[in-house]
Amino acid sequence: MRAARYHEYGDTTVLTVEEAPDPAPGPGEIRIRVAAASVNPVDWKVRSGAVRDVLPVDLPAIPGRDAVGRVDRTGTGVEGVGIGDRVFGLGGVTGATAELAVLSAWAPAPAEWSDADAAGAALGAVTALSGLKALGPLPGRTLLVEGAAGGVGGAAVELAVAAGATVIGTAGPHNHAFLTELGAVPTTYGEGLAERLAVVAPQGIDLVLDTAASGSLGELVRIAGDPSRVVTVADHQGAGRLGVRVADAVNDSTWLAEAAALGAQGRYTPRVERTYPLEEIAKAHAHSEGGHVRGKIVVTL
């Protein structure tokens, strides 16, 4: 199969497109013929070697964790999915950006989602849901999402609105119309946030989800009034210092199905900023690494 790979840790120049061995699904896994895969910050952090102490990989490695495609093989013990079914889902830390990929968690991709949409859904949705579920019941609550225009933040906004929360989202001014489209009340991040929130949310902030790791976690705790009302999916170091809970993405097919059901209802649509062909994997990684991404970056195969 053709795949994006890197044989050593490094910058985007270590990425190449080449032939690689076909993967085989193990028990409880499926293999898909990939239509598209997304690029997430974890992909280039792993590729660079920056997180090798906590997320080591065997080299050469294929970047990518989530993808969409049609099932072409199933492992032992797999039920409820058949050859040719269109699914989206998650595999390991690596392996998705290739013609064939193995998934350990998946759900049917809604017909309402394009391949690019579905490719950008899995990791963003389960990361957002892990944070939202850690915060507890959302109906009638006012939730602040820090970093609301990113792939995880945008998913969190739509999923929280669907759950009945009033959502305030932070982003740069150029993304405020985008946040309004997602269903959030927009405001600008950074210095003076508490004063701006007093205007847009005079009723106060009940809960906070940090998806940005921008160094604002201490201020977010002060805004919420208690670290127990704040969850981060991004700032592990700050969380340990401040007593804030950390929520990590998990390969949970139930959560993927929950996101897909909202997708079929038109209540959650993964937002894709740009797509790249497989041959431009290095450009896709550079785009993600440059920051200020609105939604998701997707590689098509």
Side-chain angles (χ1 to χ4, degrees):
M1 68 172 184
R2 291 170 63 249
R5 288 211 295 182
Y6 51 96
H7 292 252
E8 60 183 336
Y9 292 121
D11 61 19
T12 58
T13 61
V14 302
L15 289 163
T16 186
V17 176
E18 60 189 20
E19 289 296 316
D22 293 354
E29 298 177 334
I30 64 171
R31 189 176 75 180
I32 63 171
R33 188 159 293 279
V34 177
S38 76
V39 176
N40 301 286
V42 67
D43 299 334
W44 49 262
K45 290 176 183 177
V46 169
R47 184 215 72 226
S48 72
V51 294
R52 73 179 74 182
D53 291 340
V54 291
L55 291 175
V57 297
D58 294 327
L59 298 173
I62 296 170
R65 186 168 172 186
D66 53 349
V68 61
R70 294 196 179 272
V71 180
D72 87 328
R73 185 180 294 184
T74 62
T76 59
V78 171
E79 298 179 350
V81 66
I83 304 302
D85 288 354
R86 180 174 177 258
V87 301
F88 74 110
L90 295 156
V93 174
T94 59
T97 316
E99 290 180 324
L100 298 169
V102 170
L103 305 181
S104 59
W106 63 87
E112 290 78 5
W113 288 353
S114 69
D115 284 340
D117 295 338
L123 188 57
V126 298
T127 304
L129 285 170
S130 70
L132 295 175
K133 291 178 183 295
L135 286 167
L138 294 177
R141 314 299 294 279
T142 298
L143 168 71
L144 173 66
V145 176
E146 177 82 323
V152 174
V157 168
E158 286 198 284
L159 294 169
V161 169
T166 296
V167 180
I168 314 297
T170 70
H174 62 290
N175 279 325
H176 283 192
F178 175 65
L179 295 192
T180 300
E181 181 184 334
L182 295 179
V185 176
T187 192
T188 305
Y189 56 78
E191 185 176 351
L193 177 59
E195 290 74 16
R196 291 188 293 278
L197 289 172
V199 175
V200 299
Q203 74 277 18
I205 299 296
D206 299 313
L207 304 166
V208 178
L209 177 62
D210 169 42
T211 72
S214 60
S216 63
L217 200 55
E219 176 67 8
L220 298 178
V221 169
R222 287 189 288 274
I223 288 167
D226 193 293
S228 67
R229 296 162 62 185
V230 181
V231 168
T232 182
V233 298
D235 189 352
H236 291 65
Q237 184 176 1
R241 185 178 71 254
L242 296 165
V244 169
R245 287 170 293 168
V246 174
D248 291 318
V250 292
N251 287 22
D252 190 316
S253 294
T254 303
W255 290 3
L256 293 174
E258 182 178 334
L262 292 172
Q265 298 166 17
R267 302 171 75 190
Y268 166 52
T269 302
R271 309 301 168 120
V272 177
E273 177 170 293
R274 183 168 174 180
T275 63
Y276 291 86
L278 178 62
E279 292 71 21
E280 295 184 2
I281 182 66
K283 290 183 180 179
H285 270 230
H287 187 165
S288 177
E289 205 162 349
H292 304 292
V293 177
R294 176 192 292 181
K296 298 301 291 281
I297 294 168
V298 169
V299 173
T300 57
L301 285 92

